[in-house]
Amino acid sequence: MITKDKKFSLLNYMCDIAFNFYETNNLEHLCVRESQLVGNYNTEEQLEWLQRFSDVWDRVEEREVNK
């Protein structure tokens, strides 16, 4: 949740997205990469979501580092 005093952070927003993914799919809350490695998903669609999310995370993280 963003308040007037708190600056928007894309990485924090992405954490919220991942949290919602785990809640919606009744999965254990793990690191997204760890979820891929240990099989913390039930369907191919969930695995694909985790893979796409990881790709986006890498790009956002790189952008943040290079600011």
Side-chain angles (χ1 to χ4, degrees):
M1 179 177 191
I2 300 171
T3 64
K4 291 181 181 180
D5 299 332
K6 187 174 179 183
K7 184 178 175 186
F8 176 79
S9 164
L10 189 51
L11 290 173
N12 286 340
Y13 182 63
M14 290 185 68
C15 288
D16 292 342
I17 292 170
F19 178 87
N20 289 334
F21 171 80
Y22 286 116
E23 287 291 305
T24 301
N25 291 287
N26 298 315
L27 299 172
E28 182 178 356
H29 289 257
L30 301 174
C31 165
V32 171
R33 290 199 195 287
E34 187 177 352
S35 289
Q36 294 172 65
L37 293 173
V38 301
N40 184 36
Y41 52 87
N42 297 315
T43 67
E44 279 298 312
E45 290 80 15
Q46 291 173 348
L47 174 59
E48 289 171 12
W49 188 94
L50 293 165
Q51 291 167 334
R52 287 191 311 268
F53 184 90
S54 292
D55 291 341
V56 172
W57 180 275
D58 288 343
R59 285 183 255 146
V60 169
E61 186 175 49
E62 184 177 325
R63 187 182 83 176
E64 290 294 317
V65 168
N66 292 327
K67 275 187 173 178

